[in-house]
Amino acid sequence: LEGESAEVTVLFCDIRGFSKVTEKIGPKAAMNWVGETLSELSSIVLDTDGVLVDYVGDEMFAMWGAPEKSPDHAFRAASAAKSMMNARGKLNDRFALILPTKVDFGIGMCTGEVWVGNTGSKQKFKYGPMGQTVNMGSRIQGLTKQWGVTTLMDQETARCLPSDMPRRRLSKAIVVGMESEIDLFELMSEDRA
């Protein structure tokens, strides 16, 4: 799996409140909660033919469009994001007795060209994408907290979605580490559409 250029949609999903939950229920119970939650979210990625790229603590990184090309990768990623939002109810029911707060997460998506292949070192490597699209997707996920929404995406992801997939333009923004403005769109969940 040597590197190649590909158009993909990346998705970053960060579980909210991990530090507060760990403080209340302890590290062992928190690890179990995060593991079960990431398993639920990961199943959604795989069900939409996505690739699980990595986990970093309580954050999941996934992509659609490589290694197998799929012209509807943005739609698949957005469908996964909607299913993740809809899964909150089930996760909240499952963890209601142990968590001090409700389960929530922030999801950021970005569509564009990447270099995808094996990355890392001689000691450890993984298959995944690199490039500005990845950096932008991560930064967009970080903005979900500031905007108080669950799912944000760039204009290219929004442009690729069918008209019956509810979204709304929020604003133009300059994300950390980038120079040009981007349009940000919220993907609406079932209860906000």
Side-chain angles (χ1 to χ4, degrees):
L1 295 175
E2 293 181 11
E4 65 176 345
S5 179
E7 183 184 88
V8 303
T9 299
V10 298
L11 179 149
F12 289 84
C13 180
D14 182 62
I15 300 171
R16 296 288 186 233
F18 177 73
S19 297
K20 285 183 182 177
V21 170
T22 301
E23 186 179 11
K24 296 284 187 188
I25 67 174
K28 181 178 179 185
M31 286 281 279
N32 289 336
W33 162 60
V34 167
E36 286 191 44
T37 300
L38 288 174
S39 293
E40 186 77 30
L41 300 176
S42 298
S43 291
I44 292 169
V45 169
L46 297 176
D47 288 345
T48 54
D49 296 325
V51 173
L52 294 167
V53 178
D54 207 356
Y55 302 103
V56 179
D58 59 349
E59 183 177 54
M60 179 182 67
F61 173 22
M63 81 173 161
W64 290 257
E68 296 292 325
K69 293 188 186 326
S70 59
D72 62 345
H73 52 80
F75 172 74
R76 289 174 184 270
S79 297
K82 285 191 69 139
S83 293
M84 289 175 188
M85 290 188 279
N86 293 337
R88 286 179 295 195
K90 179 167 63 167
L91 290 166
N92 280 315
D93 289 346
R94 187 183 308 168
F95 298 112
L97 297 178
I98 64 164
L99 293 183
T101 60
K102 290 190 176 276
V103 174
D104 202 7
F105 18 82
I107 301 169
M109 293 183 290
C110 189
T111 298
E113 290 292 319
V114 297
W115 190 259
V116 63
N118 287 331
T119 62
S121 65
K122 292 177 182 175
Q123 291 78 17
K124 184 174 175 68
F125 62 89
K126 65 180 178 183
Y127 178 79
M130 293 184 78
Q132 184 171 350
T133 299
V134 176
N135 296 337
M136 187 73 74
S138 177
R139 305 291 197 299
I140 290 170
Q141 185 284 123
L143 291 173
T144 60
K145 267 187 187 174
Q146 292 176 353
W147 286 101
V149 298
T150 300
T151 303
L152 285 176
M153 59 189 152
D154 73 327
Q155 64 272 14
E156 186 60 21
T157 306
R159 185 189 67 77
C160 293
L161 300 182
S163 59
D164 62 349
M165 188 168 271
R167 70 243 185 214
R168 67 178 177 141
R169 184 183 171 277
L170 291 182
S171 76
K172 285 192 175 293
I174 297 177
V175 298
V176 175
M178 308 291 174
E179 293 182 6
S180 56
E181 284 186 328
I182 62 165
D183 282 314
L184 290 175
F185 291 79
E186 177 186 12
L187 181 66
M188 309 299 282
S189 63
E190 299 294 329
D191 54 355
R192 301 236 0 228

